[in-house]
Amino acid sequence: MADVLPLVEARLRSALGEPDARAAVTFLGTDRIEVLRFPALGQEGDVVRYATLGMSAQPMADPTAALADPVKGPRAELVLSVRAGAADTDKVLRPLAVLAASPQVEGVIVAPGASLDVGEPLWPGAPFTSVLVAEPGGLVEDLELDAPLDPVRFLPLLPMTPNEAAWKRVHGAPALQERWLTHGTDLRDPSRRSVPLD
């Protein structure tokens, strides 16, 4: 079985450029997860991106299955985009690694529309403790793998305030995204306030 991680890293580099920093985290009983930092480029000169590398090494298993399939199943990495310089967002590396390890640790399948909560601010002083998993394909294209492996999807993460996360649980992800759109919310602002929810 070919190691998918070199292919994943090559796809990230072709889409986001060269990483200028990387950190590795290993949790007990899990594979090593790296988080790569990609500096701001081109037109979006102030947006820094963080991408996980390692989550896609194994397919995500259905938590109700008796045995995890070592080959088939969805594969993903996580991508977070934030404006640089307004907060110490580099401290997000460990929370991102925690989220990327959640399929192995908790047996969950991370998919668009899901909420992921780290239970603490994503970085010092951040008004967010959770993220909404958005649809892939915009920033980094899916990476097709040889059959029977599923493609690797690069899932954007949208930080949510606790109020937004609670509102999303009741009304659903599309309703929250619609609200963000209606109010012109800058989802990359690391210190933004909650969108009006009444």
Side-chain angles (χ1 to χ4, degrees):
M1 191 63 61
D3 184 2
V4 303
L5 295 184
L7 302 174
V8 170
E9 183 166 354
R11 173 57 55 93
L12 285 168
R13 286 171 182 266
S14 68
L16 304 176
E18 287 299 307
D20 65 355
R22 60 197 306 153
V25 181
T26 307
F27 303 99
L28 194 63
T30 69
D31 295 331
R32 174 176 137 127
I33 303 280
E34 286 192 277
V35 181
L36 281 54
R37 180 186 188 272
F38 294 89
L41 288 176
Q43 313 144 325
E44 297 181 299
D46 64 342
V47 175
V48 62
R49 305 190 194 282
Y50 302 92
T52 63
L53 179 63
M55 181 176 171
S56 61
Q58 307 290 331
M60 292 183 271
D62 180 345
T64 61
L67 272 174
D69 189 318
V71 176
K72 290 189 172 177
R75 293 174 188 259
E77 296 290 353
L78 308 175
V79 182
L80 174 70
S81 302
V82 289
R83 297 206 181 283
D88 188 7
T89 55
D90 284 350
K91 295 284 197 310
V92 78
L93 300 180
R94 185 171 173 77
L96 272 184
V98 169
L99 296 179
S102 62
Q104 288 184 64
V105 175
E106 297 168 34
V108 296
I109 292 182
V110 177
S115 301
L116 303 175
D117 196 317
V118 292
E120 61 185 27
L122 292 177
W123 51 83
F128 321 106
T129 60
S130 62
V131 292
L132 175 65
V133 181
E135 290 292 335
L139 189 61
V140 185
E141 284 185 33
D142 291 358
L143 173 64
E144 297 296 332
L145 300 173
D146 294 336
L149 302 184
D150 285 27
V152 177
R153 304 170 85 199
F154 297 88
L155 302 171
L157 300 180
L158 307 175
M160 292 188 294
T161 66
N163 284 350
E164 289 170 340
W167 198 85
K168 180 250 169 192
R169 278 194 293 278
V170 175
H171 300 278
L176 178 58
Q177 290 176 298
E178 183 63 38
R179 207 151 258 261
W180 282 337
L181 201 59
T182 303
H183 289 274
T185 307
D186 180 3
L187 295 172
R188 294 169 177 170
D189 178 352
S191 52
R192 72 173 180 84
R193 296 175 182 275
S194 184
V195 73
L197 296 170
D198 20 302

